[in-house]
Amino acid sequence: MKTLNNLALMAKIKLEKAKSFLRNEEGDTNFISVLILLGIGIALAAVFIAFKDQVIGWVDENIGSFFDTAKGGR
C-alpha cells in the first residue's frame, strides 16, 4: 500500500509540474523568435530559388529602365 501511495504522489507531483510548465512563460523566448525568423528566411530562399529567373528578369528590367531614364534626363 505504501508503494501505491508513493506512485500516486509522484504522479501527482509530475502532473503539477507539467501544469505549471504550461502556465508559466518563463524561459528564453528568443529561441522561438529565431526559429520563426529562420523559417521565414528558408521560405524566402525557396521562393527565390523556384522563381529566380523571373525575379532576375523583373529586377533587370526595372533597374535597366531606371538607369535609362536617369541617363536620358541629363
Side-chain angles (χ1 to χ4, degrees):
M1 191 66 170
K2 186 176 181 181
T3 305
L4 191 58
N5 285 339
N6 286 341
L7 287 175
L9 183 61
M10 287 191 323
K12 185 175 180 180
I13 291 171
K14 287 184 180 185
L15 183 62
E16 286 299 319
K17 284 184 179 181
K19 284 182 182 178
S20 70
F21 176 75
L22 293 174
R23 278 185 297 214
N24 294 337
E25 294 184 12
E26 296 174 359
D28 192 9
T29 56
N30 287 334
F31 180 72
I32 295 171
S33 300
V34 167
L35 289 179
I36 291 171
L37 291 174
L38 187 61
I40 292 170
I42 290 172
L44 287 174
V47 167
F48 184 75
I49 288 172
F51 298 106
K52 70 178 177 184
D53 294 331
Q54 294 170 346
V55 170
I56 290 172
W58 180 81
V59 170
D60 187 39
E61 179 182 315
N62 287 327
I63 290 178
S65 65
F66 173 76
F67 284 120
D68 290 339
T69 305
K71 286 179 186 175
R74 287 186 164 182

